Amino acid sequence: MASLDERDITQITLRFLKSHYRQRQREGATVLSSDMRGAGGIIADGFLSFPQVEGEDFRATVEATSRESRHEVRYKVKQGLLKWDSAALTSALLAVSCVVLYAQHILPVKEYPLVAWLALLIAAFILTAPVFYFMLMPFRRYRYIYAIEQFKQYYADEQWVAIAEDVFPNYHNDRYYLELRGQCIYNGFGLLVVRENRPPIMQVTPSRQDLFKHRRKLIPLFSQVEIDKVIQQEKYPDWLRQFKPRHVIAFQRKFSNQMAVCLISLVAIAGVFYQESQDRPVRVLDYEDYLAEMAKAWQDNRYNFMPDSISPYSYKIDTPFVWPPPIRKDESPYLQLGLTAEKPPGPPSLLDSKDAEKGFIMAFPDVAGMITYDCSRLRIDGEAFVVQEGVYPSYSSAASRISELSSYGLQTSALWLGCFSEAGSGYLVFFGPVFRGTADVDRALKVYETQLGDNVLDIKLKARSLSINAQ
């Protein structure tokens, strides 16, 4: 049995459609045409129209496919779209992975050179992209059917795909037929199976609503007779001068969105590696090395507050230059624990009785009375500076002032000016230690003034220089 050609399929389908639409309300006769052309390379094998009551023409177009042209209804994989989508998804996955690992602080960027990371990213891309490629291939988005794609290029009230009955081997489990039928349903197109000497079989009816939401344009279609008249009059429209049938050219698609995703992912990965390169490297030390590092750091930074002040590396209980005094308030004397011990022999007197009120006076927290040292205990080489609170004429007045300030939580000391030549007489009450430079004492002066706050006691602080020659 001879197979039907496209002209026969078109004529049979148009006769069927004329009968199919006979109940539609109209204002005039039905017009049937074949081999219609339109702008953009559009070809409609069959065309039916009639004026409606509303005034607009009803239009139905037909795409006829014979056994010889069955490639028009057999899907092909959109390789370009599939590859670009796979590349975009792979790039996005790699970018998200890098950002998450960076946020979790588990991206070991500095453990390997940049070339190694670049090779790793390329390898991950090459291995992951094919996985997405095969995962996405079954989706309708990547299955191209010429007849369906041509219908998407222009608007008609109803559009029909008419195929000869021998186009597919069977109509039950043929994957190409099932895909064609599924896309007709999805896009709202009709599907007819045309048989010789028998009525066509309607597989799918067109949708009465435009599923494309007016995204398609209404393109005028012209018959071959009308085109010949235009050619004879030498009035060529622009689209006719460059007319190329759509079955000759492919429906091109731009991939700007996929390119943008790849570019953004690349920028995100580069940003993560840049931020990671700015972080300091992490050193892992064992316990002994850690202790050594901490000891060195403490020794290097122990003068951060007053780097040039006279502060010994370790405290000595009997020196006046320890500040603050090394008294631990969180420890209790052993006498409070109920322990007793023999009274040790008393220490030798620090001062001779005749000079009992001359020297260096210190008051320690939680210690009753004052502790006085003689001038010989002041070992200062070079210039000496203090933060002066005031100068008092006698030992008792200086001690009284120290006690008064101590009641307000202010620790001070006193110094007999006679210990220094050309320094004057009386007792100098001062805050803090003895400094060796003007910069240190000025910095300390600002600190103590800040600590005094509102200075309700009206304490007048100033920096004062002392002579270096102790008597």
Side-chain angles (χ1 to χ4, degrees):
M1 182 178 63
S3 175
L4 294 172
D5 60 16
E6 289 190 4
R7 184 178 297 274
D8 295 333
I9 296 171
T10 302
Q11 296 301 323
I12 295 172
T13 302
L14 288 176
R15 288 195 299 269
F16 171 81
L17 293 180
K18 183 178 181 180
S19 174
H20 177 74
Y21 294 122
R22 68 182 183 276
Q23 301 298 332
R24 296 282 183 95
Q25 294 184 354
R26 65 193 69 201
E27 293 290 336
T30 301
V31 177
L32 302 178
S33 303
S34 60
D35 195 19
M36 304 291 286
R37 307 293 176 96
I42 299 298
I43 298 179
D45 295 328
F47 179 80
L48 179 148
S49 68
F50 56 82
Q52 302 181 92
V53 177
E54 296 84 358
E56 297 180 355
D57 287 345
F58 175 87
R59 305 197 325 165
T61 57
V62 177
E63 178 65 33
T65 303
S66 64
R67 183 176 180 179
E68 287 72 20
S69 60
R70 60 181 177 270
H71 62 276
E72 295 181 352
V73 292
R74 293 166 66 95
Y75 74 83
K76 297 179 181 179
V77 177
K78 300 178 184 178
Q79 295 290 341
L81 179 61
L82 183 57
K83 290 178 181 178
W84 272 108
D85 281 359
S86 302
L89 288 175
T90 303
S91 302
L93 178 63
L94 293 178
V96 171
S97 300
C98 289
V99 171
V100 171
L101 292 176
Y102 174 75
Q104 298 294 328
H105 304 288
I106 54 177
L107 188 65
V109 172
K110 295 187 177 180
E111 295 184 9
Y112 304 97
L114 182 60
V115 176
W117 279 108
L118 182 62
L120 179 62
L121 289 174
I122 294 176
F125 183 90
I126 294 175
L127 293 176
T128 307
V131 176
F132 281 114
Y133 181 89
F134 289 105
M135 288 176 58
L136 297 176
M137 186 180 294
F139 288 89
R140 181 183 297 113
R141 169 183 171 87
Y142 308 102
R143 295 187 172 184
Y144 165 90
I145 299 177
Y146 163 77
I148 301 297
E149 293 298 324
Q150 181 165 236
F151 281 161
K152 293 179 180 179
Q153 305 306 309
Y154 67 96
Y155 171 79
D157 294 281
E158 293 188 1
Q159 294 164 298
W160 295 82
V161 177
I163 61 176
E165 62 179 341
D166 58 351
V167 168
F168 297 105
N170 62 76
Y171 291 84
H172 299 287
N173 55 9
D174 186 275
R175 58 175 178 164
Y176 293 103
Y177 168 74
L178 295 177
E179 183 64 30
L180 174 64
R181 185 174 184 273
Q183 290 203 23
C184 286
I185 296 174
Y186 180 79
N187 294 286
F189 304 145
L191 177 62
L192 287 175
V193 176
V194 179
R195 300 178 295 176
E196 188 177 10
N197 301 324
R198 286 183 292 177
I201 301 174
M202 186 182 299
Q203 300 287 340
V204 179
T205 59
S207 172
R208 293 293 183 92
Q209 297 179 349
D210 183 14
L211 302 183
F212 292 88
K213 300 184 184 300
H214 307 289
R215 293 194 299 268
R216 299 178 298 171
K217 295 181 179 180
L218 181 62
I219 299 176
L221 299 176
F222 301 91
S223 65
Q224 190 63 44
V225 176
E226 294 173 327
I227 293 176
D228 292 339
K229 291 181 180 179
V230 172
I231 294 175
Q232 292 177 1
Q233 297 175 0
E234 297 183 355
K235 295 180 181 180
Y236 288 91
D238 293 337
W239 64 267
L240 189 57
R241 293 177 183 275
Q242 302 176 352
F243 182 81
K244 293 182 179 180
R246 278 298 189 185
H247 69 274
V248 176
I249 62 175
F251 295 101
Q252 300 296 327
R253 184 172 185 141
K254 297 180 179 180
F255 308 108
S256 56
N257 294 335
Q258 292 86 341
M259 294 179 183
V261 171
C262 293
L263 181 60
I264 293 173
S265 301
L266 182 61
V267 171
I269 294 174
V272 167
F273 276 79
Y274 175 78
Q275 290 295 332
E276 188 72 12
S277 65
Q278 299 302 306
D279 295 339
R280 294 183 178 180
V282 178
R283 296 177 57 201
V284 180
L285 303 175
D286 55 23
Y287 186 67
E288 289 76 8
D289 292 339
Y290 169 77
L291 293 179
E293 291 279 351
M294 292 298 100
K296 184 177 182 302
W298 181 85
Q299 183 177 359
D300 293 341
N301 299 324
R302 68 183 185 273
Y303 296 130
N304 280 345
F305 174 65
M306 299 175 184
D308 295 328
S309 61
I310 303 176
S311 300
Y313 181 79
S314 59
Y315 292 119
K316 297 180 181 179
I317 300 302
D318 61 345
T319 175
F321 299 117
V322 177
W323 191 267
I327 304 298
R328 296 187 56 181
K329 297 183 178 181
D330 58 334
E331 299 292 341
S332 299
Y334 71 92
L335 295 178
Q336 295 183 4
L337 301 177
L339 303 178
T340 59
E342 295 183 0
K343 184 177 180 180
S349 176
L350 297 176
L351 299 177
D352 295 337
S353 58
K354 61 181 179 178
D355 296 324
E357 294 183 353
K358 296 179 181 180
F360 193 97
I361 309 172
M362 290 191 67
F364 293 96
D366 301 330
V367 176
M370 303 291 172
I371 300 178
T372 306
Y373 299 89
D374 59 19
C375 294
S376 63
R377 303 298 297 272
L378 299 175
R379 303 179 183 275
I380 303 175
D381 296 328
E383 294 183 344
F385 301 88
V386 293
V387 178
Q388 174 181 305
E389 186 274 334
V391 178
Y392 299 88
S394 63
Y395 176 92
S396 59
S397 59
S400 176
R401 183 57 173 168
I402 292 175
S403 299
E404 180 184 5
L405 294 176
S406 179
S407 65
Y408 290 98
L410 302 175
Q411 301 298 322
T412 55
S413 302
L415 173 65
W416 181 51
L417 294 177
C419 294
F420 298 89
S421 61
E422 301 178 359
S425 59
Y427 288 83
L428 172 67
V429 176
F430 62 95
F431 283 80
V434 177
F435 300 93
R436 291 184 292 185
T438 56
D440 297 328
V441 71
D442 291 339
R443 186 163 53 248
L445 176 61
K446 295 179 181 178
V447 172
Y448 287 120
E449 287 176 344
T450 302
Q451 290 178 353
L452 290 177
D454 295 337
N455 196 9
V456 295
L457 299 179
D458 194 23
I459 298 176
K460 306 250 187 306
L461 298 180
K462 71 175 183 178
R464 174 161 181 168
S465 173
L466 301 174
S467 174
I468 64 172
N469 298 321
Q471 292 182 350

